[in-house]
Amino acid sequence: MKYVILQGDGMADDPIEALGGKTPLQAASTPHMDWLASHGAFGLAHTIPEGFPPGSDVGNMSILGYDPARYHTGRSPLEAASMGVSLGPQDIAFRCNLVTLREVGDDSIMEDFTAGHISSGEAAEIVGDLNRHLGGNGIEFHPGVSYRNLMVWRGGMEGMTTTPPHDITDQKIRTYLPQGKGADKVRDLMKASEALLAQHPVNRARQEAEKRKATTIWLWGQGRAPKMPTLKQRFGIEGGVISAVDIINGLGVYAGLERVRVPGITGYLDTNYRGKGEYGLRALEQMDLIFIHVEAPDEAGHMGDLEKKIQAIEDFDEKVVGTVIRGMDRWPEWRLLLLPDHPTPIALKTHSSDPVPFVLFSSVERKNSNGLGFNEADAKKTGIVVKKAFTLIEGLIKGKESWTETSL
């Protein structure tokens, strides 16, 4: 038996007036996801438990079968694992975004939480200088992918409140700065970065190229290293993960999944969609399970760009889902789980906690077509609601009966 998880990050949305009351999933052409929905177990799943922020760390932890209430400590420790940065029991990891602020002082506004989707090479130069000038005394800066970087506070504090920068686009930052025990240290580092970045050669070059500058760092998503059993320990299976995003690859580390590297994947709308599908199929020749994650729909949602979100969904459907489905006939028995980790509504430009459509498909338990498509409205029509999405992994690995008993 082979197992596949396909995750289109942030695909779910709310009805949009410009689409005649449809969602992007309803408006997009998605024949492959629709086929799965019409022939599999289809409904809505709560990937974000009550009381948890609707982040990709929480949503994807649920998708991989881990109860966030038991295992979640923060998103940044997962990113640290992906980057090969070891954390001791008293160490705290923070996501370190490179961001663009508009205005100065108390009137500063979060203009762009990606600093114009700064390149990984440019970010590495900046983060290296941050480490040289602001690091030391337990503070370390580590480069990641594009605007997504890492700070580690050895022996630090984690009990403060921080805010994801993608939640406050076009808002004044004053009321969203870190608060609580240890927050003074974090705010001081953020403030100190402004002077360093103001004259940085990378920013001068970006300004000359009429690109947005990285004006400061934004520290958030802090936490200690979690303790999680691997999927092999739980189910006796070997697997791999394909993603351009550190948080997903870090989850893979803790789940015991091998990172499958694919050329040309970016975590953005220009990613190598088809390559993800093709490399996923190749990985399944040696593995039991492959988890393929695509970030592009989420990025478009954060941008508030409806056209780009529909395009990202259609690319995901044709080049990832379609590629995988067309290649799975080489195995007589396989199961597939398809869903987003959370909605990223265009109107909000950030995540929400609403349930998302999911489909659990089995090649040996294929249903007759129900005529439904993979979208929020049709998923609701089925009446199937999985309150604890982390139990879906049971259905994927053990089969439909196990999933029905534990999840509905």
Side-chain angles (χ1 to χ4, degrees):
M1 179 71 74
K2 298 294 182 179
Y3 310 100
V4 179
I5 302 174
L6 301 180
Q7 205 273 78
D9 204 299
M11 286 193 300
D13 211 304
D14 298 328
I16 296 174
E17 185 177 352
L19 296 176
K22 293 181 178 181
T23 68
L25 275 172
Q26 288 177 292
S29 175
T30 56
H32 302 97
M33 290 193 285
D34 293 345
W35 184 86
L36 289 169
S38 68
H39 291 89
F42 180 43
L44 292 171
H46 289 261
T47 55
I48 309 298
E50 186 175 352
F52 279 81
S56 292
D57 48 344
V58 176
N60 283 284
M61 186 170 280
S62 291
I63 290 170
L64 277 174
Y66 296 92
D67 181 357
R70 183 175 181 182
Y71 297 109
H72 184 265
T73 63
R75 68 183 292 144
S76 297
L78 306 176
E79 295 174 322
S82 173
M83 296 161 66
V85 178
S86 298
L87 298 178
Q90 303 304 315
D91 299 336
I92 309 299
F94 288 75
R95 161 70 82 83
C96 179
N97 271 51
L98 298 177
V99 305
T100 304
L101 299 183
R102 189 168 66 247
E103 309 300 338
V104 295
D106 289 344
D107 292 325
S108 294
I109 294 170
M110 182 63 65
E111 182 173 19
D112 187 346
F113 68 90
T114 75
H117 284 278
I118 191 167
S119 72
S120 296
E122 292 171 312
E125 285 189 51
I126 289 175
V127 173
D129 285 336
L130 287 169
N131 197 50
R132 281 186 285 274
H133 293 282
L134 302 182
N137 296 319
I139 299 296
E140 302 170 5
F141 292 89
H142 299 270
V145 177
S146 182
Y147 62 90
R148 311 175 189 94
N149 300 282
L150 182 76
M151 188 199 83
V152 175
W153 185 358
R154 303 289 179 186
M157 302 178 188
E158 65 172 339
M160 68 198 74
T161 299
T162 60
T163 301
H166 52 254
D167 281 359
I168 57 172
T169 299
D170 296 327
Q171 299 183 51
K172 289 187 177 181
I173 68 169
R174 177 172 44 189
T175 58
Y176 298 104
L177 293 169
Q179 301 292 330
K181 191 175 182 180
D184 287 349
K185 175 80 168 179
V186 175
R187 290 196 303 267
D188 287 347
L189 287 166
M190 291 165 63
K191 185 65 177 177
S193 73
E194 294 179 12
L196 188 151
L197 293 178
Q199 302 300 321
H200 199 278
V202 167
N203 275 330
R204 289 201 297 267
R206 288 182 66 81
Q207 186 171 24
E208 291 175 4
E210 299 184 347
K211 298 179 180 178
R212 283 177 171 164
K213 298 186 294 182
T215 63
T216 188
I217 61 173
W218 190 270
L219 300 172
W220 64 287
Q222 71 278 7
R224 303 181 191 274
K227 296 179 179 179
M228 298 163 53
T230 66
L231 293 182
K232 185 174 183 179
Q233 290 170 328
R234 295 178 64 192
F235 302 113
I237 61 173
E238 303 277 0
V241 58
I242 295 176
S243 177
V245 177
D246 278 326
I247 191 172
I248 308 300
N249 290 316
L251 268 170
V253 171
Y254 283 107
L257 301 179
E258 178 183 337
R259 184 174 181 177
V260 179
R261 298 183 182 274
V262 179
I265 62 175
T266 64
Y268 193 52
L269 290 98
D270 60 352
T271 196
N272 181 7
Y273 297 91
R274 199 175 303 280
K276 288 190 174 188
E278 292 171 347
Y279 275 69
L281 291 168
R282 190 179 307 171
L284 281 175
E285 297 284 356
Q286 306 298 325
M287 301 174 178
D288 304 304
L289 176 147
I290 190 69
F291 175 32
I292 302 178
H293 166 263
V294 174
E295 178 76 359
D298 184 63
E299 290 291 326
H302 285 303
M303 295 164 63
D305 193 317
L306 178 57
E307 183 179 348
K308 284 186 171 63
K309 183 163 187 178
I310 291 175
Q311 184 62 57
I313 290 171
E314 292 181 346
D315 285 341
F316 175 71
D317 181 78
E318 171 56 30
K319 300 174 184 178
V320 179
V321 183
T323 297
V324 169
I325 290 176
R326 287 189 290 269
M328 291 302 295
D329 60 2
R330 69 189 74 177
W331 296 288
E333 296 186 2
W334 53 275
R335 298 194 192 105
L336 183 149
L337 175 63
L338 165 70
L339 74 171
D341 53 348
H342 51 65
T344 307
I346 290 289
L348 297 180
K349 295 185 180 180
T350 191
H351 307 160
S352 76
S353 300
D354 292 337
V356 298
F358 81 93
V359 59
L360 188 59
F361 176 84
S362 169
S363 66
V364 296
E365 298 173 353
R366 184 180 308 179
K367 295 182 177 182
N368 294 325
S369 177
N370 57 23
L372 299 177
F374 188 83
N375 60 70
E376 303 85 351
D378 281 3
K380 187 175 182 179
K381 291 177 183 176
T382 69
I384 295 175
V385 180
V386 179
K387 295 292 187 180
K388 298 178 179 180
F390 63 85
T391 62
L392 285 172
I393 196 79
E394 300 281 343
L396 179 69
I397 305 301
K398 298 181 179 180
K400 178 185 173 184
E401 288 186 4
S402 172
W403 164 73
T404 302
E405 293 170 358
T406 60
S407 303
L408 287 181

